[in-house]
Amino acid sequence: MRCPSDKISAYSIGVGHPDTSSWDDHRPKLSGIASRWILSCSATAARSATRPKNADNWQEVPGGGGFFWRCPDNVVFYDIYPTRIAPRHNHRASTGYADGHAAVVKVSTLGFQYYPGRAANGQLATGDTWLGFNGLWDERWKWDLH
């Protein structure tokens, strides 16, 4: 898929990788998914620090659009291959959710800055067990499968 405002890239609307895409034996289950789970959004190669504190400051690399964006728990690849959600619309990103609604939001509202996070009980949260993590989520994350 391609965002009409991206005149250079072949792809510029992508899914979260690996959490919301399918590869290997992992398949997301759509039953019971809350309306806060992002299925697709503006995606690009981003020019930024590897783990920026303010995702609203990510800068799009011209022609760097992608068909996926990296979730923070995609550990090594998150840092070395920085495809990110693109705040290309007045410093906001177009997002599509699993329940079918869409919204234009600040990237900072999606929870990237809270990884690793804290579960409701205060324990360290690192995400999906199929990726080798502890199966606990931070409620501020909107990009993970919880």
Side-chain angles (χ1 to χ4, degrees):
M1 295 183 284
R2 186 167 173 244
C3 176
S5 68
D6 185 348
K7 305 292 185 204
I8 300 171
S9 302
Y11 302 99
S12 53
I13 299 174
V15 297
H17 185 77
D19 291 36
T20 57
S21 62
S22 291
W23 64 279
D24 199 21
D25 291 330
H26 176 68
R27 301 289 182 266
K29 293 183 174 118
L30 294 180
S31 61
I33 297 277
S35 62
R36 60 192 299 276
W37 182 52
I38 298 172
L39 189 59
S40 65
C41 66
S42 308
T44 188
R47 201 176 333 181
S48 65
T50 55
R51 291 186 185 270
K53 295 296 179 195
N54 186 351
D56 296 330
N57 292 334
W58 290 344
Q59 295 178 347
E60 186 168 7
V61 174
F67 56 91
F68 64 88
W69 42 274
R70 298 278 179 189
C71 300
D73 62 358
N74 194 207
V75 185
V76 175
F77 296 106
Y78 186 78
D79 291 338
I80 64 172
Y81 192 71
T83 50
R84 302 286 190 262
I85 293 177
R88 70 167 61 105
H89 303 288
N90 287 331
H91 304 286
R92 288 172 168 71
S94 300
T95 56
Y97 295 81
D99 69 351
H101 87 278
V104 177
V105 301
K106 287 185 134 192
V107 180
S108 59
T109 65
L110 305 178
F112 290 91
Q113 69 273 31
Y114 303 119
Y115 184 84
R118 295 280 168 193
N121 63 7
Q123 285 185 276
L124 183 69
T126 56
D128 223 332
T129 56
W130 79 274
L131 291 170
F133 298 106
N134 67 3
L136 299 174
W137 288 267
D138 189 311
E139 282 302 312
R140 298 170 290 186
W141 300 344
K142 294 185 181 179
W143 44 264
D144 211 331
L145 290 174
H146 64 292

